[in-house]
Amino acid sequence: MRTAQPVLRVPAGDPLVGERYEVEVGPVAHGGGHCVARHEGRVLFVRHTLPGERVIVEVTEGTTKSRFLRADAVEVLTPSKDRIAAPCPFSGPGKCGGCDWQHVTPGGQRKLKGQVLTEQLAKLAGLTPAEAGWDGSVEPVGGKLPAGEVPRWRSRVQYAVDPESGELGLRKHRSHEIQSVDQCLIASAGVAELGLETQDWTGLSSVEVIASSGSSDRQLILTPVPGEQLPLVELDKPVAIARIDEQDNFHQVHGRTFVRERAAGRTWRVSNGGFWQIHPEAPDTLVDAVLAGLDPQWGENALDLYCGVGLFAGALADRVGEDGAVLGIESNKQAVVDARHNLAALENVRIECDKVETLLPRTGITSTDLVVLDPPRAGAGRETVSHLAGLSARRIAYVACDPAALARDLGFFKEHGYRPVSLRAFDLFPMTHHFECVAILEPVKG
């Protein structure tokens, strides 16, 4: 009988959390609202700072053996010209992790996002902005704001509940700890008007609120602590209520199981937990960019991949007309039900339920005119890109919420003879590091 050998573990190193260093801040990094700095040869990813600043940082994660450290800028010695006082009292080191760039002017935020996209295109796709058909700008949505003014754009907010006080709060960065808040400054007016922060939510672990921007519909999705009863909800505004059980199933408690949104000339049903853009102007902004880039013609055939509740499929169907056809593919069953309901009047649209990478090769489709590709944050991937490139579409619209996934997939498309002829970036998530892109691709001629 063999004796089990002891597991050899690499020493974790001595903790450096709480250590403070003075550093010169380098470029912005992709993801998390960090900038890159170095101290004695070690890389630090620092939040609450800006490129070019000299700051005192405090380490929040890492040891002497770590490849890199995470840190917060706790004192600014030399500020950037784009720095402002954070309007939100819950923003800053050790506080709410939701907004990365409350301390940055609106123009400065867009500049940082542009730098991230430029770096990802070069690193992962081997493209300059000009080669990607991009003018280098990140476009504001809803008009430009003066420094210090916070846009109320977020129509969907998930609050955590403090288990001791029953108060609502938001998670701290990379933590399960809760920062209690009396309001969220980026929450839309439809969320703020409910006054959820004044309620006692004891017995719940989270409260998600959805305020439709296309109707007066308001919806709460409650997640109880196992074994606890739902609290009594008394609000001045009418609101639908659902709860989520331990298996992530929805149970309607009161009101509609969906909210109604308005975009692209239609009313859309979006059921409990379904995806819809959370900036009120995002659906129309993205549809307009996709249609302008694709320029659909009467009688053409189109694919809408990862089609959700049918937003792009409906817009395409109107343009290709009764002589054309649109196939939408979506893996979320409830989203498919909603899409079929939303587009029931359009005989030239078919919605299928399955994973894109599973169903698309089985459709028997060997060619198409147009493709809309709106994958989840991880992107489409090499296999799906390879299949799409074989369909000889005259144009492909790629809608992306992650610049790294977009750049990687543009690199895959380049391998198969497709190049971006235009790229637009939209600041649909102000105060955060997130943004949305629409790339239009064509096959390389000759």
Side-chain angles (χ1 to χ4, degrees):
M1 179 177 177
R2 296 182 62 186
T3 303
Q5 298 297 309
V7 177
L8 299 178
R9 301 185 182 278
V10 177
D14 298 322
L16 293 175
V17 174
E19 291 290 314
R20 293 193 173 196
Y21 311 123
E22 181 178 329
V23 299
E24 186 86 28
V25 180
V28 63
H30 168 56
H34 302 93
C35 291
V36 179
R38 294 181 181 275
H39 178 72
E40 296 182 350
R42 192 191 301 273
V43 172
L44 291 85
F45 291 107
V46 186
R47 280 171 57 84
H48 311 293
T49 190
L50 284 163
E53 292 188 328
R54 191 152 196 89
V55 298
I56 303 295
V57 302
E58 182 174 305
V59 177
T60 56
E61 293 181 39
T63 72
T64 54
K65 296 290 185 179
S66 300
R67 290 188 300 110
F68 61 85
L69 305 177
R70 297 185 185 275
D72 287 339
V74 294
E75 184 180 347
V76 181
L77 304 177
T78 307
S80 164
K81 63 180 179 59
D82 290 323
R83 176 176 285 277
I84 59 172
C88 179
F90 308 110
S91 175
K95 298 180 181 179
C96 171
C99 288
D100 310 300
W101 290 334
Q102 285 270 349
H103 62 286
V104 190
T105 63
Q109 294 177 39
R110 294 193 298 273
K111 183 167 64 176
L112 291 173
K113 295 176 188 190
Q115 291 169 0
V116 168
L117 181 53
T118 297
E119 192 265 344
Q120 294 301 307
L121 288 172
K123 178 181 177 181
L124 300 176
L127 295 170
T128 65
E131 290 169 335
W134 177 44
D135 66 5
S137 70
V138 176
E139 302 173 38
V141 177
K144 292 186 178 181
L145 290 170
E149 186 173 329
V150 180
R152 285 194 171 275
W153 59 269
R154 193 176 184 96
S155 62
R156 185 169 188 157
V157 181
Q158 185 170 25
Y159 295 96
V161 179
D162 189 300
E164 296 183 2
S165 67
E167 296 176 339
L168 292 187
L170 297 164
R171 299 286 183 187
K172 298 181 180 181
H173 182 63
R174 294 177 58 84
S175 172
H176 293 293
E177 290 186 50
I178 299 171
Q179 168 70 61
S180 294
V181 299
D182 55 22
Q183 65 171 324
C184 174
L185 289 188
I186 64 171
S188 70
V191 172
E193 69 183 7
L194 295 179
L196 302 182
E197 295 89 354
T198 64
Q199 295 277 316
D200 183 355
W201 300 97
T202 300
L204 299 179
S205 61
S206 71
V207 175
E208 185 170 12
V209 57
I210 302 167
S212 167
S213 55
S215 69
S216 60
D217 293 346
R218 305 291 181 261
Q219 188 177 61
L220 296 182
I221 301 176
L222 311 179
T223 305
V225 174
E228 296 286 342
Q229 297 295 315
L230 288 179
L232 179 64
V233 179
E234 295 182 344
L235 299 173
D236 293 334
K237 302 284 184 178
V239 62
I241 301 174
R243 69 175 178 86
I244 301 180
D245 64 23
E246 295 181 48
Q247 286 73 46
D248 292 329
N249 297 312
F250 284 87
H251 302 273
Q252 200 64 23
V253 176
H254 171 72
R256 290 191 179 99
T257 61
F258 58 87
V259 296
R260 296 164 296 173
E261 298 285 356
R262 186 76 185 168
R266 283 191 175 81
T267 298
W268 305 86
R269 186 181 79 180
V270 184
S271 294
N272 285 342
F275 174 78
W276 187 259
Q277 291 283 348
I278 58 176
H279 192 298
E281 297 187 46
D284 280 324
T285 297
L286 296 174
V287 166
D288 289 347
V290 165
L291 292 182
L294 291 181
D295 189 24
Q297 301 297 304
W298 188 271
E300 289 191 311
N301 294 324
L303 297 174
D304 181 8
L305 306 181
Y306 312 93
C307 71
V309 301
L311 178 65
F312 295 116
L316 287 168
D318 289 338
R319 296 285 289 270
V320 302
E322 60 187 17
D323 292 338
V326 179
L327 170 63
I329 301 177
E330 169 59 49
S331 62
N332 183 282
K333 293 181 180 179
Q334 186 56 58
V336 169
V337 172
D338 284 344
R340 289 171 176 168
H341 169 86
N342 293 331
L343 304 176
L346 299 176
E347 295 183 357
N348 60 345
V349 177
R350 187 171 93 251
I351 307 294
E352 297 291 346
C353 184
D354 207 335
K355 293 181 178 179
V356 168
E357 58 270 24
T358 300
L359 180 60
L360 189 58
R362 298 205 313 258
T363 61
I365 295 173
T366 57
S367 66
T368 191
D369 298 300
L370 304 171
V371 176
V372 176
L373 184 61
D374 186 11
R377 183 167 298 279
R382 184 183 292 275
E383 184 176 344
T384 297
V385 167
S386 176
H387 188 93
L388 289 176
L391 300 181
S392 302
R394 70 171 180 84
R395 284 184 185 169
I396 298 172
Y398 191 128
V399 183
C401 62
D402 184 89
L406 170 65
R408 182 204 63 200
D409 285 347
L410 289 182
F412 295 156
F413 273 113
K414 187 166 69 170
E415 294 173 2
H416 291 281
Y418 273 80
R419 64 183 181 92
V421 293
S422 75
L423 174 61
R424 297 176 68 185
F426 300 98
D427 192 15
L428 292 174
F429 309 91
M431 304 293 163
T432 79
H433 70 275
H434 299 287
F435 58 102
E436 201 92 6
C437 295
V438 176
I440 304 298
L441 296 96
E442 291 182 354
V444 176
K445 294 180 174 60

